[in-house]
Amino acid sequence: MVIFMAIAFTLATRWFRRNLIKLPKPFDRITGFNAFWYSHHLFVIVYVLLIIHGEFLYLVHIWYRRTTWMYLAVPVLLYAGERILRFFRSGFSTVRLLKVAIYPGGVLTLQMSKPPQFRYKSGQYMFVQCPAVSPFEWHPFSITSAPGDDYLSVHIRQLGDWTQALKRLFSEVCEPPVAGKSGLLRADEATKKSLPKLLIDGPYGAPAQDYSKYDVLLLVGLGIGATPFISILKDLLNNIVKMEEQADSVSDTSKASDVSVASSNESTTPNRVPSKRKKTLKTTNAYFYWVTREQGSFDWFKGVMNEVAELDQRGVIEMHNYLTSVYEEGDARSALITMVQALNHAKNGVDIVSGTRVRTHFARPKWKNVLSKLSSKHCNARIGVFYCGAPVLAKELSKLCYELNQKGSTKFEFHKEHF
């Protein structure tokens, strides 16, 4: 038991799990996620040995006093129940791929049909399995579509052996995009080659799903860490559009009612039945900061950003893109590109760096200034700070939230998740 547990513990460490240790062949097979995944299933043998160990006690000879099996029964039943539930639920949630796109930076976008029973909140994630890559492995990915969309979508960055194999598999069926379409390679239902089969399991809860509880949102994503917040932005935009349509319909109804009352010759005042209004959106402002090193990353969510910039007439959502591979604004080495960028954005309304309507800033944001401005702008408000990315920045943001909470009336509540 000790030997098996030591093997599982060693292969679960960061150095082995993330391939940070480079071993010569054939020993390179004992590093990576697959080695971590399969070695953890040694716990089945450990449990069997533990039961055998409990049956050969020296001090107890009556069978029902050998209680090892009793303590193991509950966790084993819970685990077995969860695996059986996932097996049947994933079998019912077979999806049909609608669109596939491969973007710069090794990002694969999968858009698939939405099962009727699949209900989720923005910010949640689901597990994805591709039997052609591995019939046993399930991997979690944030859902980037909004709950109101009639499809599901995920954005997968190539980071490990499974994601690399998945990208290679879909690259074989994809083709160069036609004019007007984004991405390096694309495929859809009209593609001649058949698309691989996918299974999904979920949805599962995540910190970002509680965004609707806050008056003001600060969403911070590093690289591919922007994925859970794209769903939130789309959901906010859908709610904004619905509220505007509802306000227009109520206005039209009231005008028609006033005209009918004015034209009526009856002396009695009619009883008006107030129209039912949906629950108003609690979130008054949302600030999205996306920090990335590669210019090509802006292609991942170009359509969403342009849609938000076009349809958000009330100015609820404020977006900021930051490209860290360029010197900060004001530096002489980036003066030329800053000038050209400003002229093009003023003339055409399009940023030359990202190709969207959202202005791109250079270097890293000064987070202390960002949070201080929000604190002074939204006094006495509860601001939900949601972060997804590397652990280093999480510590800095958490510390800043704590410091500002001690000073002013604005309260920051920090939530984080790491990939």
Side-chain angles (χ1 to χ4, degrees):
M1 285 189 291
V2 172
I3 291 173
F4 285 140
M5 292 175 71
I7 293 173
F9 174 82
T10 303
L11 296 181
T13 55
R14 182 171 175 267
W15 301 281
F16 284 91
R17 191 179 72 252
R18 300 210 169 190
N19 272 332
L20 299 181
I21 296 179
K22 302 299 180 182
L23 299 177
K25 294 184 178 181
F27 300 105
D28 58 339
R29 292 181 176 271
I30 66 172
T31 61
F33 184 84
N34 281 343
F36 154 74
W37 172 257
Y38 290 114
S39 66
H40 257 61
H41 286 78
L42 290 172
F43 84 92
V44 177
I45 303 176
V46 172
Y47 270 41
V48 171
L49 292 175
L50 187 56
I51 294 173
I52 295 173
H53 176 67
E55 286 298 316
F56 288 91
L57 294 175
Y58 291 106
L59 302 178
V60 178
H61 301 286
I62 304 174
W63 70 272
Y64 58 82
R65 290 187 178 177
R66 297 172 179 173
T67 57
T68 303
W69 63 274
M70 295 182 185
Y71 295 104
L72 295 181
V74 174
V76 167
L77 288 174
L78 288 174
Y79 176 79
E82 192 271 339
R83 300 301 296 185
I84 293 171
L85 177 63
R86 174 179 287 190
F87 174 78
F88 284 107
R89 188 165 63 171
S90 61
F92 289 126
S93 298
T94 303
V95 294
R96 186 180 78 259
L97 279 171
L98 305 176
K99 186 178 72 174
V100 179
I102 298 176
Y103 290 102
V107 170
L108 172 68
T109 302
L110 301 176
Q111 191 178 108
M112 61 203 78
S113 60
K114 183 179 178 181
Q117 75 279 9
F118 196 94
R119 298 179 182 178
Y120 65 98
K121 298 178 181 179
S122 292
Q124 293 184 332
Y125 67 95
M126 65 182 181
F127 283 89
V128 177
Q129 186 204 73
C130 183
V133 176
S134 173
F136 304 109
E137 291 185 46
W138 292 85
H139 292 263
F141 299 101
S142 296
I143 304 172
T144 52
S145 55
D149 295 335
D150 58 355
Y151 62 88
L152 293 173
S153 66
V154 292
H155 287 66
I156 302 172
R157 184 158 195 178
Q158 183 179 336
L159 292 174
D161 43 12
W162 188 87
T163 51
Q164 290 173 355
L166 189 71
K167 184 191 172 187
R168 284 196 300 268
L169 179 66
F170 279 99
S171 298
E172 296 173 359
V173 299
C174 289
E175 300 172 352
V178 296
K181 298 289 185 179
S182 61
L184 303 176
L185 296 169
R186 295 179 71 91
D188 52 31
E189 292 182 299
T191 306
K192 297 179 181 178
K193 297 180 181 179
S194 60
L195 297 174
K197 179 183 176 183
L198 281 183
L199 297 175
I200 63 172
D201 176 38
Y204 290 90
Q209 74 181 51
D210 293 328
Y211 74 95
S212 58
K213 298 179 180 178
Y214 296 95
D215 307 321
V216 181
L217 298 177
L218 174 60
L219 311 174
V220 181
L222 264 61
I224 198 64
T227 49
F229 307 132
I230 293 301
S231 178
I232 293 176
L233 293 179
K234 293 172 73 174
D235 191 40
L236 287 173
L237 183 63
N238 291 342
N239 289 329
I240 292 169
V241 172
K242 285 181 181 178
M243 288 174 62
E244 291 177 351
E245 291 175 351
Q246 185 184 2
D248 293 339
S249 64
V250 170
S251 177
D252 294 340
T253 303
S254 62
K255 287 180 182 178
S257 177
D258 292 340
V259 170
S260 64
V261 170
S263 62
S264 175
N265 294 325
E266 296 179 0
S267 59
T268 57
T269 303
N271 294 326
R272 296 186 185 180
V273 179
S275 59
K276 294 182 179 178
R277 296 191 178 185
K278 293 184 178 179
K279 186 179 180 181
T280 56
L281 185 65
K282 182 176 181 180
T283 302
T284 57
N285 293 92
Y287 302 88
F288 175 54
Y289 284 78
W290 186 18
V291 184
T292 181
R293 286 179 296 183
E294 302 171 0
Q295 182 182 355
S297 303
F298 295 119
D299 286 343
W300 304 346
F301 310 115
K302 182 186 292 185
V304 177
M305 292 191 171
N306 286 332
E307 191 177 6
V308 170
E310 180 180 354
L311 298 178
D312 183 22
Q313 302 296 330
R314 296 168 54 193
V316 175
I317 302 173
E318 188 176 303
M319 296 181 293
H320 302 268
N321 293 338
Y322 279 83
L323 186 64
T324 60
S325 57
V326 180
Y327 294 104
E328 65 180 338
E329 298 169 15
D331 193 298
R333 291 166 289 187
S334 62
L336 180 60
I337 188 173
T338 303
M339 182 177 64
V340 174
Q341 179 198 31
L343 289 173
N344 189 77
H345 195 274
K347 182 179 180 181
N348 303 316
V350 178
D351 184 73
I352 61 173
V353 179
S354 65
T356 68
R357 298 186 182 187
V358 182
R359 178 79 179 270
T360 301
H361 306 278
F362 302 129
R364 292 176 174 80
K366 297 178 180 179
W367 295 112
K368 187 174 183 179
N369 294 342
V370 171
L371 270 71
S372 298
K373 288 180 181 178
L374 290 181
S375 179
S376 58
K377 184 177 181 180
H378 302 282
C379 297
N380 301 317
R382 286 178 66 234
I383 301 179
V385 181
F386 295 90
Y387 170 75
C388 186
V392 178
L393 182 55
K395 295 179 180 179
E396 180 182 351
L397 290 175
S398 178
K399 183 180 178 182
L400 287 172
C401 289
Y402 177 78
E403 291 176 355
L404 290 171
N405 285 341
Q406 306 302 313
K407 296 179 180 178
S409 58
T410 305
K411 298 303 177 185
F412 293 88
E413 297 185 14
F414 181 67
H415 308 266
K416 65 176 180 179
E417 56 182 307
H418 304 308
F419 287 156

